[in-house]
Amino acid sequence: MLSGLSPRGRASLAQLERTRLWPGAAAEALHAWHLFIRDPMHRLWNPDHGCGIRECCPDPEELRHLLELVAHALPRQDARFFRQQLAALNDEW
């Protein structure tokens, strides 16, 4: 579960993960994006290479799509907070 969300935001996220994703998908994607951004080799990502495991060799487009899906599913205030977290990570890109 993502930290800093309101009870309504946590409920919205739980419903999204239960109906369209998998339990823990949002936190997993945010963590993978965090690791991807901090890896100095991330600019060299190539879809033809790598193991395809999200924790090791994530597809950045897939991660961004998943994170945008989460942001759209959250209530407005929680989505704003979540996007601020993403923006802070994106500044490192």
Side-chain angles (χ1 to χ4, degrees), residues 10 63 72 92:
R10 287 193 303 271
L63 288 177
H72 284 289
E92 298 179 31

Side-chain angles (χ1 to χ4, degrees), residues 16 20-21 64-74 82:
L16 172 69
R20 297 184 62 193
L21 302 172
R64 290 302 302 180
H65 174 74
L66 188 76
L67 293 169
E68 281 300 315
L69 182 67
V70 169
H72 284 289
L74 293 172
F82 183 71

Side-chain angles (χ1 to χ4, degrees), residues 44-62:
L44 301 177
W45 185 83
N46 183 333
D48 297 329
H49 297 22
C51 64
I53 297 173
R54 184 172 289 116
E55 294 80 15
C56 178
C57 305
D59 178 344
E61 291 181 23
E62 178 184 313

Side-chain angles (χ1 to χ4, degrees), residues 5-15 73-78:
L5 296 180
S6 69
R8 186 171 165 226
R10 287 193 303 271
S12 296
L13 181 58
Q15 180 179 358
L74 293 172
R76 183 173 288 163
Q77 186 174 2
D78 290 307

